[in-house]
Amino acid sequence: MGSSEVSIIPGLQKEEKAAVERRRLHVLKALKKLRIEADEAPVVAVLGSGGGLRAHIACLGVLSEMKEQGLLDAVTYLAGVSGSTWAISSLYTNDGDMEALEADLKHRFTRQEWDLAKSLQKTIQAARSENYSLTDFWAYMVISKQTRELPESHLSNMKKPVEEGTLPYPIFAAIDNDLQPSWQEARAPETWFEFTPHHAGFSALGAFVSITHFGSKFKKGRLVRTHPERDLTFLRGLWGSALGNTEVIREYIFDQLRNLTLKARLLRLQESSQGEHPPPEDEGGEPEHTWLTEMLENWTRTSLEKQEQPHEDPERKGSLSNLMDFVKKTGICASKWEWGTTHNFLYKHGGIRDKIMSSRKHLHLVDAGLAINTPFPLVLPPTREVHLILSFDFSAGDPFETIRATTDYCRRHKIPFPQVEEAELDLWSKAPASCYILKGETGPVVMHFPLFNIDACGGDIEAWSDTYDTFKLADTYTLDVVVLLLALAKKNVRENKKKILRELMNVAGLYYPKDSARSCCLA
């Protein structure tokens, strides 16, 4: 795909096709180690659902145990929604070293630290962009605090292990929020937007742009203005922005904005009363806004009366102005409730028949969990030829809602997917087991793994759900709470290894003969 041009072609992008082909060799070696003989490597996809910090930690546990059991090396695709994307992206930023990744997770939640100075600096910097939205604020000021991370690497940095085939091909899901009416009415496939180390775009349209130019300005399929590639912190905020659409988080954002507005006004009053001061010397490469964040932290701990008193620390020239601009722009975005704004690379593209897609100057991309809370629509297209799907559901509610939604989506668009009766799903949801195997006459086999299940949690599923409620902030996640959730996720993989191996053996040997009818079953 030309790096400065929009690509509209059917089938897989050539970079993905080459990476998947290289991955097949590693999958065959992995199958042999698992004592599964195969002439061709089946395509296995692991899916992680949304669920905020709970999904992030549980997905890390799943990936860690799959690596330990030799199963991850047999996987071709890793795809995630929302919190699972945080875990999956971490796998690549750590070069697949799950032991180091798990140790880092525990370290982050042992120290309970968050770099407010750097987060604020990143947010103020993002506010200078013409396409600043609440997603930037959410990414740098909320998600970074939740995960205790502020990764500055990029999706394109993941190319090497993917192109060598040493790690599965990752797919990160979002949806086009402007197309929500089409999704609600007809479950339109073009609603879904995907990110990989090579490209970003609409898989249903076969329309993509190089990941390094996602966010750059295009017109008529040509690059007209280059913008820097967005970092993983921003993308994690975009992929995990579903919570931003809830009333609870909406009020949280407005509270934070009100606090920032108050503090900015107090800073301005202080500046006007104290006059000009020389800027302090930089020490050890400290971020430009360290002085400001320390001041804001102090204001958080002190009374309003004390906050109004002059501060001794000198202020850097221009920093207050930047802060005020940031607060103003965030306020405007909040009043419009604007999320995920980016240039539409299909703007005025002649190869797109749908005028809605080509007439918009901007896209507004948000968490795919607002459509289906797991990325089935991105791995089900026949071009990806997926034979076995391991679906890990980290929902705190009904763990079969994603199956219901995907069944409806596939029925509408005549996509092969195992059919399960609603009555059966209702029965399973009352006391979910740790693994369900769904099979249809055609299409992939689906193994569905609810996180909270009677096999691992006994009769305490509700208590587990309450402990790891989606709306709980990172401050409530002590090391003990993190370790317990990791252990639960690992157990679900370990206890079902034989079932996974059996289905791997089936798809490796059978490759879905058309004359073999299969019905849904619980295993």
Side-chain angles (χ1 to χ4, degrees):
M1 179 169 55
S3 60
S4 62
E5 295 183 358
V6 174
S7 170
I8 301 181
I9 60 172
L12 298 182
Q13 297 292 305
K14 63 180 183 180
E15 296 90 348
E16 178 182 343
K17 187 175 182 179
V20 168
E21 195 62 38
R22 184 67 62 88
R23 179 65 178 170
R24 291 182 191 275
L25 302 176
H26 290 265
V27 170
L28 282 172
K29 291 179 181 178
L31 291 176
K32 191 169 185 179
K33 289 182 180 179
L34 294 169
R35 299 182 180 179
I36 298 175
E37 295 296 331
D39 294 327
E40 295 288 339
V43 177
V44 180
V46 169
L47 310 187
S49 80
L53 197 54
R54 176 187 61 251
H56 171 53
I57 296 169
C59 188
L60 283 176
V62 165
L63 296 176
S64 180
E65 191 62 26
M66 289 194 71
K67 182 74 172 178
E68 178 68 22
Q69 299 295 333
L71 297 170
L72 190 59
D73 290 334
V75 173
T76 301
Y77 286 106
L78 275 181
V81 163
S82 197
S84 286
T85 65
W86 309 342
I88 293 171
S89 58
S90 293
L91 174 69
Y92 295 84
T93 57
N94 284 269
D95 298 320
D97 188 340
M98 288 307 308
E99 188 175 339
L101 182 54
E102 192 173 326
D104 178 64
L105 174 73
K106 293 175 181 177
H107 173 75
R108 283 186 275 122
F109 283 89
T110 298
R111 301 184 66 181
Q112 292 285 324
E113 291 181 350
W114 174 48
D115 193 340
L116 172 60
K118 197 168 185 179
S119 291
L120 183 60
Q121 181 189 34
K122 284 283 189 181
T123 315
I124 292 174
Q125 182 180 353
R128 298 171 188 162
S129 167
E130 62 180 302
N131 288 335
Y132 177 76
S133 72
L134 287 179
T135 300
D136 296 272
F137 180 87
W138 180 257
Y140 296 113
M141 297 298 290
V142 180
I143 299 302
S144 69
K145 183 175 182 180
Q146 283 290 83
T147 61
R148 312 293 188 197
E149 289 183 292
L150 199 67
E152 298 183 81
S153 58
H154 305 92
L155 270 181
S156 61
N157 298 142
M158 302 179 185
K159 286 181 180 179
K160 188 174 185 292
V162 167
E163 291 174 350
E164 292 175 349
T166 56
L167 289 176
Y169 199 84
I171 305 170
F172 304 92
I175 59 169
D176 186 341
N177 202 39
D178 296 333
L179 301 183
Q180 275 282 26
S182 298
W183 175 260
Q184 296 299 329
E185 181 181 346
R187 297 295 185 262
E190 58 267 25
T191 307
W192 285 74
F193 194 96
E194 68 178 46
F195 296 81
T196 79
H198 294 106
H199 63 255
F202 299 94
S203 57
L205 300 175
F208 298 99
V209 67
S210 169
I211 191 62
T212 57
H213 285 130
F214 168 73
S216 291
K217 192 171 183 177
F218 285 80
K219 187 175 182 180
K220 297 182 179 180
R222 294 285 182 176
L223 180 67
V224 296
R225 188 192 307 160
T226 301
H227 291 282
E229 181 179 357
R230 297 309 304 261
D231 62 30
L232 272 179
T233 297
F234 171 80
L235 292 178
R236 285 179 172 187
L238 188 157
W239 300 329
S241 58
L243 291 177
N245 283 267
T246 66
E247 286 302 317
V248 174
I249 303 300
R250 184 185 293 246
E251 187 58 33
Y252 172 82
I253 289 176
F254 276 107
D255 282 344
Q256 294 300 308
L257 188 57
R258 282 190 286 267
N259 289 337
L260 281 169
T261 302
L262 172 62
K263 291 166 183 175
R265 286 174 178 170
L266 290 171
L267 277 170
R268 174 166 282 180
L269 286 172
Q270 174 191 317
E271 182 186 59
S272 62
S273 65
Q274 288 187 327
E276 291 297 324
H277 294 273
E281 296 291 332
D282 279 337
E283 295 182 7
E286 285 294 309
E288 178 186 357
H289 299 283
T290 299
W291 66 276
L292 177 58
T293 54
E294 289 175 352
M295 190 178 292
L296 297 186
E297 286 178 325
N298 289 335
W299 261 313
T300 302
R301 302 189 191 100
T302 57
S303 67
L304 182 60
E305 181 180 355
K306 291 182 179 179
Q307 288 176 10
E308 291 173 341
Q309 296 174 1
H311 199 279
E312 295 179 0
D313 290 343
E315 299 157 358
R316 288 184 181 273
K317 185 177 181 180
S319 292
L320 178 56
S321 175
N322 290 335
L323 174 65
M324 293 302 295
D325 289 344
F326 149 64
V327 171
K328 181 180 178 180
K329 290 189 76 170
T330 305
I332 293 172
C333 291
S335 66
K336 296 190 295 183
W337 208 240
E338 182 179 352
W339 291 78
T341 306
T342 188
H343 288 297
N344 179 14
F345 64 90
L346 295 178
Y347 180 56
K348 292 193 177 297
H349 196 292
I352 298 295
R353 296 179 181 178
D354 189 338
K355 296 303 179 184
I356 294 178
M357 301 301 294
S358 60
S359 63
R360 293 177 294 158
K361 288 186 176 181
H362 296 93
L363 304 175
H364 294 93
L365 302 177
V366 295
D367 192 320
L370 295 171
I372 299 177
N373 200 31
T374 205
F376 277 113
L378 297 183
V379 300
L380 287 172
T383 53
R384 286 194 162 126
E385 301 181 319
V386 175
H387 305 105
L388 176 62
I389 297 174
L390 308 185
S391 165
F392 290 91
D393 194 286
F394 307 121
S395 303
D398 185 351
F400 298 100
E401 184 55 39
T402 52
I403 298 297
R404 287 188 182 89
T406 304
T407 299
D408 177 49
Y409 172 81
C410 291
R411 178 184 57 79
R412 290 171 181 255
H413 301 291
K414 296 181 173 56
I415 299 171
F417 191 78
Q419 299 295 305
V420 188
E421 294 296 328
E422 180 64 31
E424 197 164 18
L425 289 173
D426 288 340
L427 181 63
W428 292 350
S429 65
K430 292 177 181 178
S434 62
C435 176
Y436 294 80
I437 303 175
L438 314 177
K439 299 181 181 182
E441 294 185 1
T442 59
V445 174
V446 177
M447 300 186 73
H448 193 64
F449 305 88
L451 174 63
F452 300 133
N453 58 77
I454 57 174
D455 299 326
C457 305
D460 297 326
I461 291 179
E462 187 174 348
W464 277 87
S465 296
D466 290 343
T467 300
Y468 298 98
D469 185 83
T470 305
F471 299 107
K472 286 195 174 181
L473 297 176
D475 292 341
T476 67
Y477 276 73
T478 62
L479 179 60
D480 289 343
V481 171
V482 170
V483 169
L484 199 60
L485 185 57
L486 279 172
L488 178 71
K490 290 180 179 184
K491 182 178 181 180
N492 285 342
V493 173
R494 189 167 56 251
E495 295 296 317
N496 289 290
K497 180 181 179 180
K498 289 183 179 179
K499 294 176 183 177
I500 295 173
L501 288 176
R502 186 182 68 202
E503 295 309 318
L504 271 173
M505 190 177 300
N506 287 341
V507 296
L510 297 177
Y511 252 68
Y512 307 136
K514 294 181 180 180
D515 59 347
S516 177
R518 303 180 183 197
S519 60
C520 288
C521 63
L522 168 63

